[in-house]
Amino acid sequence: MERLDRRAGETLYYLEMRSPGEVEASRPLPADVTLSEQRDALLIRAVTLSIGQPYDWPSQHWNDSRWADHLNRHDLRHWTLQRAGDILGLASLRFDQAEVELDTFGLVPRHVGTGLGGPFLALVAELAWREAPQTERLWLHTSSADHPYALRNYLARGFRQYRPVLPTDG
């Protein structure tokens, strides 16, 4: 899915991996941290807004109708990273016939910098391949407007650039 809501001066990076064997492990998550599929639309919206607020993600500006369309997609599934009922992060995967898009990924602001990002991303990549074993690729886009370590984390977990970097017109 081409991202059409680019901001002036933003650089987009399109990344992919082509097989589950490309997932680069990270240290394990702490034993008390779990990943659970999430179906509560209000919670998914609130967590997405929390994660994206520091980076002014486009979803920060969606109206209720746009959110309803997004959250009611049949091809989109969501997982929360949790510890003792506390939401640490969210990953949303869009399943298409031949590919899976990592649509949303991040930690809520109070958990950024705690060392959970790498293990969480590795776990989500493994989950994507497990949930869609016939897929040909797992892909995402990130941006220079995202967390400064986002691109580094994606590359460290095995994602590779598959198209030229796309700077926006200033």
Side-chain angles (χ1 to χ4, degrees):
M1 175 168 52
E2 179 69 29
R3 187 170 155 178
L4 301 175
D5 48 12
R6 298 185 293 175
R7 295 164 279 193
E10 181 180 18
T11 301
L12 298 180
Y13 304 91
Y14 287 84
L15 309 172
E16 70 180 357
M17 60 176 64
R18 291 285 185 165
S19 76
E22 294 178 16
V23 178
E24 293 290 337
S26 180
R27 68 176 171 274
L29 284 165
D32 62 340
V33 173
T34 60
L35 188 67
S36 302
E37 189 160 8
Q38 185 58 249
R39 291 186 175 89
D40 181 337
L42 292 176
L43 179 65
I44 295 163
R45 179 178 177 170
V47 175
T48 303
L49 288 170
S50 174
I51 293 167
Q53 191 277 327
Y55 317 108
D56 194 30
W57 282 358
S59 57
Q60 299 294 307
H61 309 286
W62 292 354
N63 62 25
D64 289 342
S65 176
R66 176 66 180 93
W67 270 107
D69 289 346
H70 178 73
L71 293 169
N72 289 321
R73 292 182 62 135
H74 72 281
D75 59 348
L76 192 61
R77 295 170 58 192
H78 313 273
W79 285 264
T80 52
L81 191 69
Q82 301 179 37
R83 175 186 281 137
D86 184 26
I87 304 292
L88 311 175
L90 175 83
S92 299
L93 297 170
R94 187 182 61 82
F95 293 87
D96 199 355
Q97 290 185 12
E99 61 187 24
V100 177
E101 177 189 5
L102 181 53
D103 179 82
T104 302
F105 177 82
L107 297 170
V108 296
R110 71 183 176 277
H111 296 290
V112 170
T114 60
L116 295 172
F120 180 29
L121 182 57
L123 184 63
V124 168
E126 291 166 354
L127 171 79
W129 289 108
R130 192 171 53 251
E131 291 291 312
Q134 303 304 320
T135 195
E136 296 174 9
R137 73 179 186 139
L138 172 60
W139 73 277
L140 63 95
H141 68 265
T142 191
S143 147
S144 58
D146 284 337
H147 189 278
Y149 294 132
L151 179 60
R152 185 181 321 169
N153 189 24
Y154 293 125
L155 295 172
R157 299 291 72 80
F159 286 92
R160 299 292 173 250
Q161 184 177 318
Y162 71 90
R163 65 189 280 189
V165 172
L166 299 175
T168 60
D169 296 331

